[in-house]
Amino acid sequence: MNRTLAAPRRNAGDFDASGADIERDWVRRTADCWDEVRRVLLTREQTIEYELPSAEGKHGDPRWPTFADRHGLDPTHPAQWEPEALDPAELQRLVLAAAAPYIDCDVLARQTAREEEQRRALAVFLDGWGAAGGTSA
């Protein structure tokens, strides 16, 4: 059964050899589910643009030399970068920007209004419950 989706799958995670291998393996295992898989966080370009600090990578990781060569890094000094090093507001902006093209704003607005109606109905119910001698906690 072909379950290919029209939208590409967006991926976020650490920028390191393990993260790249997890992504590679996931893509291989779900190959028939996506037209395209694109990493949105964390990329080598973002580590440079945001001047993110690196942490010591996993010594002895056999994937590191190939990863380092692919990204112009020192193959003798394993390193890793984490999205958590980004300013939280910028991290949120990047994630939302990656998702924005796939959000139907009309559907989102309707769902948000529906949820607000449900919150109001629950508040009325809880107010009535307390007035009738019930407890709300």
Side-chain angles (χ1 to χ4, degrees):
M1 171 174 46
N2 188 344
R3 298 173 290 152
T4 303
L5 302 179
R9 163 64 160 81
R10 304 301 181 161
N11 187 32
D14 293 353
F15 181 74
D16 62 4
S18 295
D21 194 53
I22 289 168
E23 179 179 343
R24 179 207 52 79
D25 183 62
W26 183 85
V27 168
R28 183 186 60 77
R29 291 174 189 252
T30 62
D32 65 340
C33 293
W34 312 102
D35 289 336
E36 174 185 2
V37 175
R38 184 178 309 148
R39 176 171 277 267
V40 294
L41 290 174
L42 202 54
T43 66
R44 178 65 177 143
E45 293 76 18
Q46 289 166 330
T47 67
I48 295 167
E49 177 183 350
Y50 293 100
E51 299 177 354
L52 298 179
S54 65
E56 187 172 343
K58 298 168 185 89
H59 288 279
D61 184 342
R63 299 166 294 200
W64 173 256
T66 302
F67 180 84
D69 185 53
R70 184 178 328 126
H71 296 288
L73 301 167
D74 183 347
T76 64
H77 292 91
Q80 63 185 33
W81 292 261
E82 299 177 350
E84 295 86 356
L86 286 164
D87 175 75
E90 184 62 7
L91 178 58
Q92 180 181 21
R93 187 193 71 73
L94 290 168
V95 170
L96 292 175
Y102 307 99
I103 297 173
D104 185 323
C105 292
D106 293 334
V107 171
L108 179 60
R110 285 194 304 272
Q111 184 61 30
T112 301
R114 182 172 175 240
E115 290 174 6
E116 187 53 41
E117 289 172 16
Q118 291 171 342
R119 281 189 197 91
R120 283 192 297 271
L122 285 170
V124 168
F125 172 80
L126 288 175
D127 287 344
W129 179 265
T135 60
S136 61

